[in-house]
């Protein structure tokens, strides 16, 4: 809340300085009014970028504050949490969680705009001084009377208003924009520290080092279980060998029994056939004898 209050006050002070200087030039100095308007436009662009930067930082801060152990237990994919962040932060935060110590994005235009505002103020200053010097030269060359020279110098002195007015607007806007940039960077720095703290605790399981450690531990467990697996496979092989021997013995016994039963059946069949043939021959002989 304190940072937001200071940010708002700094914005209002910078805007007030630009507006007040611009209001002084309305109807009196068009060039100074144009320069002040440019300063105000540059100041507005910087403020807009800082507001977007602040909103992105707020999404990170809120997401980290809501990241508890219970919420993380229900989180299986890191992308489900990253989707809550501002698009400009997702890739950098993912890389930082995975172990790459990349810096989070910072304002791009604002550092340049802070210097540009000072340059614009100095530009107005130089233009005002040039106009003042031109007026002074014309006044000094036009008359030799002291009173006439004094009256002639009244108009060129207005150029000093352009000189110092635009400088005040540029320097004030630059100072306030720099202050807001510093506050925004401070918020981002605090959010980054909190992110690093979460990475070492609740977000650690999403880092590449933790995944590598889990893989190494799994390989260790596998290497420790390999002798037990080999012993079990040997027991299975022995059991299979015993079963094969037992089945071979059973097959041999059953085959022997089958052969004996077939032999008995063949003997009985032969005896039955022999008996039938004898009966048929005796019957034929008897019929033949009777005939």
């Amino acid at each position: 809340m304190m940072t937001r209050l200071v940010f708002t006050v700094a914005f209002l002070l910078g805007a007030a300085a630009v507006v007040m200087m611009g209001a002084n030039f309305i109807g009196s100095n068009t060039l100074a009014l144009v320069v002040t308007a440019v300063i105000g436009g540059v100041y507005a662009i910087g403020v807009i970028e800082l507001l977007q930067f602040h909103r992105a930082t707020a999404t990170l801060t809120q997401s980290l504050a809501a990241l508890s152990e219970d919420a993380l237990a229900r989180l299986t994919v890191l992308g489900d949490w990253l989707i809550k962040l501002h698009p400009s932060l997702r890739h950098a935060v993912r890389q930082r969680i995975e172990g790459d110590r990349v810096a989070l994005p910072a304002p791009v235009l604002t550092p340049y705009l802070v210097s540009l505002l000072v340059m614009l103020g100095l530009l107005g200053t130089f233009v005002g001084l040039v106009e003042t010097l031109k007026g002074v030269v014309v006044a000094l060359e036009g008359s030799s009377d002291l009173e006439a020279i004094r009256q002639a110098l009244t108009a060129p002195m207005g150029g000093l208003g352009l000189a110092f007015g635009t400088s005040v607007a540029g320097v004030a806007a630059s100072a306030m924009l720099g202050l807001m940039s510093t506050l925004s960077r401070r918020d981002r720095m605090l959010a980054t520290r909190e992110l690093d703290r979460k990475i070492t605790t609740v977000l650690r399981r999403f880092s590449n080092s933790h995944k590598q450690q889990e893989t190494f531990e799994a390989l260790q467990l596998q290497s420790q279980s390999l002798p037990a697996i080999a012993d079990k496979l040997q027991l299975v092989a022995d059991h299979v060998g015993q079963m094969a021997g037992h089945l071979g013995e059973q097959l041999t016994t059953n085959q022997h029994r089958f052969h004996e039963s077939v032999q008995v059946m063949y003997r009985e069949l032969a005896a039955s056939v022999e008996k039938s043939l004898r009966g048929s021959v005796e019957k034929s002989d008897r019929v033949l004898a009777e005939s």
Side-chain angles (χ1 to χ4, degrees):
M1 291 297 295
M2 182 60 67
T3 302
R4 186 177 301 178
L5 178 61
V6 175
F7 186 94
T8 304
V9 172
F11 165 71
L12 294 177
L13 288 176
V18 175
V19 171
M20 289 175 62
M21 291 299 103
N24 292 330
F25 298 136
I26 295 177
S28 60
N29 197 323
T30 305
L31 181 59
L33 181 61
V34 171
V35 174
T36 307
V38 173
I39 292 174
V42 173
Y43 181 71
I45 293 173
V47 171
I48 291 173
E49 184 185 27
L50 290 179
L51 288 175
Q52 294 176 349
F53 182 80
H54 181 72
R55 292 193 188 99
T57 305
T59 60
L60 178 60
T61 303
Q62 293 172 2
S63 300
L64 291 174
L67 191 62
S68 60
E69 293 288 348
D70 296 336
L72 190 63
R74 298 189 296 269
L75 185 65
T76 57
V77 181
L78 183 60
D80 296 338
W81 180 73
L82 292 175
I83 198 67
K84 301 177 182 178
L85 303 180
H86 193 269
S88 62
L89 294 176
R90 292 171 187 170
H91 182 65
V93 171
R94 176 186 288 275
Q95 286 185 319
R96 201 171 184 89
I97 291 175
E98 291 177 351
D100 297 334
R101 308 300 293 179
V102 297
L104 298 184
V108 179
L109 295 176
T110 302
Y112 169 73
L113 296 180
V114 171
S115 301
L116 180 61
L117 289 171
V118 177
M119 295 298 105
L120 290 174
L122 291 177
L123 177 62
T125 300
F126 294 148
V127 172
L129 291 177
V130 169
E131 288 188 357
T132 302
L133 292 176
K134 285 182 178 180
V136 170
V137 171
V138 172
L140 293 177
E141 291 179 350
S143 176
S144 60
D145 185 11
L146 182 60
E147 186 64 27
I149 293 174
R150 182 181 300 175
Q151 293 178 359
L153 289 177
T154 303
M157 288 299 113
L160 294 178
L162 169 62
F164 296 111
T166 54
S167 296
V168 170
V171 172
S174 175
M176 294 301 102
L177 188 62
L179 177 59
M180 289 185 288
S181 177
T182 302
L183 293 174
S184 300
R185 289 175 179 272
R186 177 179 176 276
D187 289 342
R188 178 63 59 87
M189 180 186 65
L190 295 176
T192 304
R193 288 181 181 177
E194 182 65 17
L195 175 62
D196 292 338
R197 191 181 69 82
K198 294 287 186 180
I199 289 174
T200 58
T201 55
V202 294
L203 290 174
R204 185 175 179 273
R205 65 187 181 95
F206 294 107
S207 63
N208 292 330
S209 60
H210 182 69
K211 293 178 181 178
Q212 292 175 357
Q213 183 178 357
E214 287 184 340
T215 303
F216 179 72
E217 292 176 355
L219 291 175
Q220 282 186 331
L221 291 176
Q222 290 180 359
S223 62
Q224 293 174 1
S225 61
L226 283 177
I229 294 175
D231 294 339
K232 291 182 180 179
L233 290 176
Q234 185 63 36
L235 292 176
V236 171
D238 296 339
H239 184 64
V240 170
Q242 293 177 0
M243 290 179 62
H246 184 64
L247 289 175
E249 293 177 358
Q250 287 185 348
L251 288 174
T252 303
T253 303
N254 292 334
Q255 188 176 8
H256 183 67
R257 291 177 180 176
F258 176 72
H259 288 164
E260 290 180 352
S261 61
V262 169
Q263 187 176 4
V264 172
M265 290 177 63
Y266 278 138
R267 288 177 181 175
E268 291 178 354
L269 180 61
S272 176
V273 171
E274 182 182 1
K275 184 178 179 180
S276 298
L277 289 175
R278 284 182 181 180
S280 299
V281 171
E282 291 177 357
K283 185 176 180 180
S284 299
D285 291 341
R286 187 169 55 253
V287 173
L288 181 61
E290 289 177 355
S291 300

